[in-house]
C-alpha cells in the first residue's frame, strides 16, 4: 500500500500514460509560457469547450492548449472584469462563466462576446 502512495506523485510530475480499461489517461505538465507560476491561482475550471480557466490574484486566465489570454480590469471599460483577484469560477448550462472577485462582486462572462457583466446586488430585491 505504501508503494501506491509513493507512485501517485510520480504520475502527476512526469508525462506518464497508463490504461484504465477503455480510457487512456495522459498527465502532462502545462507549458511554461502559461506563466501561472507568477500568479497565485485560486480556482480552476475546465469549461464545456475544453478551455482551462484559472482564477488568479492578477486576472482571469484562459488556456486553450496552445496559448493563454489574460482578462484584467480596465477602469475605462464597463464591460471588463470588475477586479483582478478571482475567488472562484463556475459555468452554467448556457455556457456563461460566473465568478466572484475578492471584493464580493459577482461577474458573468459571455465567451462569445468576451464581455463581462457585473451583477449589482443592491438591485436585487428580497421577497417578503
Amino acid at each position: 500500500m505504501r508503494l501506491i502512495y509513493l507512485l501517485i506523485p510520480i504520475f502527476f510530475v512526469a508525462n506518464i500514460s497508463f490504461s484504465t480499461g477503455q480510457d487512456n489517461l495522459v498527465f502532462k505538465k502545462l507549458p511554461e509560457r502559461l506563466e501561472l507560476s507568477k500568479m497565485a491561482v485560486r480556482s480552476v475550471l475546465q469549461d464545456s469547450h475544453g478551455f482551462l480557466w484559472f482564477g488568479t490574484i492578477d486576472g482571469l486566465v484562459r488556456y486553450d492548449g496552445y496559448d493563454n489570454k489574460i482578462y484584467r480590469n480596465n477602469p475605462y471599460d464597463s464591460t471588463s472584469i470588475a477586479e483582478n483577484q478571482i475567488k472562484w469560477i463556475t459555468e452554467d448550462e448556457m455556457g456563461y462563466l460566473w465568478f466572484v472577485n475578492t471584493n464580493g462582486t459577482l461577474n458573468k462572462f459571455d465567451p462569445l462576446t468576451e464581455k463581462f457583466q457585473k451583477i449589482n446586488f443592491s438591485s436585487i430585491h428580497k421577497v417578503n
Side-chain angles (χ1 to χ4, degrees):
M1 190 64 152
R2 289 186 88 170
L3 181 61
I4 291 173
Y5 291 121
L6 294 174
L7 290 177
I8 289 175
I10 294 172
F11 288 117
F12 290 104
V13 174
N15 294 332
I16 295 176
S17 168
F18 61 94
S19 178
T20 58
Q22 298 176 343
D23 298 327
N24 285 331
L25 300 177
V26 178
F27 295 96
K28 293 186 178 185
K29 295 189 307 185
L30 292 174
E32 289 183 21
R33 69 178 174 271
L34 187 54
E35 298 182 7
L36 287 174
S37 62
K38 298 177 183 176
M39 305 176 194
V41 175
R42 295 187 171 192
S43 58
V44 179
L45 169 79
Q46 183 172 14
D47 70 14
S48 57
H49 300 287
F51 294 120
L52 289 176
W53 295 86
F54 300 92
T56 75
I57 62 168
D58 192 30
L60 182 66
V61 179
R62 182 188 72 196
Y63 178 65
D64 64 6
Y66 301 101
D67 291 312
N68 61 316
K69 181 171 184 174
I70 302 173
Y71 299 90
R72 290 190 176 105
N73 175 264
N74 178 349
Y76 303 107
D77 182 359
S78 64
T79 63
S80 75
I81 195 170
E83 180 194 350
N84 291 336
Q85 295 190 32
I86 311 297
K87 270 187 162 177
W88 61 261
I89 311 166
T90 190
E91 181 182 33
D92 67 18
E93 65 277 355
M94 301 294 290
Y96 296 110
L97 295 180
W98 295 83
F99 59 95
V100 173
N101 299 105
T102 55
N103 67 3
T105 304
L106 179 65
N107 295 261
K108 177 182 174 183
F109 177 73
D110 183 344
L112 296 176
T113 63
E114 296 193 354
K115 303 288 184 197
F116 295 85
Q117 178 184 0
K118 296 155 195 78
I119 307 301
N120 183 352
F121 288 106
S122 63
S123 65
I124 299 173
H125 302 289
K126 292 183 179 179
V127 177
N128 292 329

